[in-house]
Amino acid sequence: MDECGKPSLSYELNELLRSANRTFDCPKGSYLFREGQEAGEVYIILSGKVQILKMNPQGQELLLRLCKENDIVGELTLFTVDPKYIFSARIVEDARIAALHIGNLEQAIFKNSKLALEFLNWMNDHMRKTMTKFKDLVLYGKKGALYSTLIRLSNSYGVENKEGIAIEVPLTTQDLANFCGTAREIVSRMLSDLKQKKIISVCSKRIIIHDIGYLKKENNCDNCPIEYCNVE
C-alpha cells in the first residue's frame, strides 16, 4: 500500500503502464469486452470497478470476480491462436482503463523474466479462484454456490461484531443470484431458510452472518487462504 492507502504497483506493472497503447474512460453499465469477442488488448484498471462474468447454459449470469484499481483483466487471452475473450467484463463503477496490445505485451513478457513470473502468478491466482467457485457449484449445487458466495463476501467485505460478520456492502437477491448463476426466486427461498435457522439476518440489504461455521460445514470448506476465497 502507498502512503495514501492505495494498492501499490509493482515495478513490472509500472513498466507495463508506461507502455500502454492508450487510456480511456468507461461509464458504469458499459462493457469493456464481451465473451466470444476477438481479443486484441489486455487491460489494467486505473480506477473504478469491473465485474468479470460468464453466461451459463440457461442464459443466466455467473459473476466470477470483482476487479478494482491495479487489477488486470483479459489476461487469459495471452499466447493463444486467434484469441477470444472467454468472459465478459462489465463496468459497475465509472472506470479509467489502460489498454495494452496483446502482441506488445507478449513480447514484453518474453524479454522480462520478472514480468513473466508476475503474470504467471496473476493467472494462477485467477484460475484458482475461478476453479474453486466452479467446484462449489458443481459439487454442491445451488445451495453450495450460495453458501460459498456468502463465505467469499464475508472475506472480502465482512466486519466482525457481536452479532457475527456483517457484510458491509448492500446486496440484492438478484446480486446474489448472479454470483450463484441461478434464478432470483431460488436464492430467495434459500435465504429465507437460512434466516429461519438464524444462520443469517438481513437489514437494509446488508447481510449479517451469525454462524459462518454452519456455511463452511455444509460446503465441506477447505479453508482456502483468504486471497483465494473472495469475490475480488
Side-chain angles (χ1 to χ4, degrees):
M1 305 285 278
D2 66 15
E3 59 187 11
C4 297
K6 294 182 178 180
S8 58
L9 290 172
S10 68
Y11 171 79
E12 287 75 23
L13 195 49
N14 263 313
E15 289 299 300
L16 279 184
L17 281 174
R18 270 192 262 272
S19 63
N21 301 93
R22 61 192 179 102
T23 58
F24 58 97
D25 295 316
C26 277
K28 178 180 177 180
S30 63
Y31 280 79
L32 188 55
F33 53 81
R34 291 180 183 267
E35 181 179 345
Q37 178 185 330
E38 290 186 6
E41 296 174 314
V42 172
Y43 304 95
I44 300 175
I45 301 169
L46 304 179
S47 65
K49 289 184 172 61
V50 179
Q51 286 177 339
I52 304 301
L53 55 99
K54 188 172 183 65
M55 285 288 192
N56 70 13
Q58 291 74 42
Q60 296 164 327
E61 291 182 358
L62 177 61
L63 300 187
L64 298 173
R65 75 180 198 263
L66 179 64
C67 300
K68 56 188 185 306
E69 183 181 356
N70 298 338
D71 283 341
I72 295 176
V73 296
E75 74 284 354
L76 297 181
T77 58
L78 292 172
F79 302 107
T80 58
V81 178
D82 298 324
K84 291 181 171 57
Y85 295 113
I86 60 174
F87 304 126
S88 297
R90 183 170 60 208
I91 310 298
V92 292
E93 181 183 288
D94 290 350
R96 182 76 176 163
I97 306 291
L100 300 97
H101 190 273
I102 285 178
N104 295 342
L105 180 54
E106 290 175 346
Q107 286 298 316
I109 290 173
F110 273 126
K111 294 175 181 178
N112 187 330
S113 59
K114 288 184 179 179
L115 179 59
L117 180 59
E118 188 160 344
F119 250 91
L120 283 173
N121 287 334
W122 286 325
M123 293 174 70
N124 178 67
D125 286 349
H126 294 164
M127 288 301 294
R128 183 167 177 181
K129 289 176 184 178
T130 301
M131 289 303 103
T132 56
K133 189 177 183 72
F134 282 144
K135 180 205 73 174
D136 291 337
L137 183 58
V138 171
L139 293 182
Y140 304 112
K142 295 176 175 62
K143 183 180 288 187
L146 176 62
Y147 290 7
S148 70
T149 294
L150 292 173
I151 293 168
R152 292 169 192 276
L153 286 166
S154 74
N155 288 335
S156 294
Y157 304 112
V159 176
E160 290 193 42
N161 58 36
K162 62 182 180 181
E163 297 182 68
I165 302 174
I167 299 174
E168 292 294 293
V169 292
L171 293 161
T172 66
T173 305
Q174 187 62 59
D175 291 333
L176 292 172
N178 289 346
F179 274 114
C180 300
T182 191
R184 182 178 60 81
E185 294 77 12
I186 293 174
V187 170
S188 182
R189 287 197 295 270
M190 291 190 290
L191 289 174
S192 295
D193 181 61
L194 289 174
K195 285 188 278 189
Q196 288 177 359
K197 293 177 179 177
K198 302 189 184 304
I199 304 301
I200 68 167
S201 59
V202 181
C203 181
S204 301
K205 295 183 181 179
R206 283 176 167 80
I207 297 172
I208 299 174
I209 302 175
H210 304 294
D211 189 353
I212 193 76
Y214 173 88
L215 300 178
K216 290 183 176 182
K217 181 179 178 182
E218 288 293 302
N219 253 31
N220 292 314
C221 183
D222 294 327
N223 290 312
C224 299
I226 287 179
E227 56 264 30
Y228 297 122
C229 187
N230 58 56
V231 296
E232 299 179 338

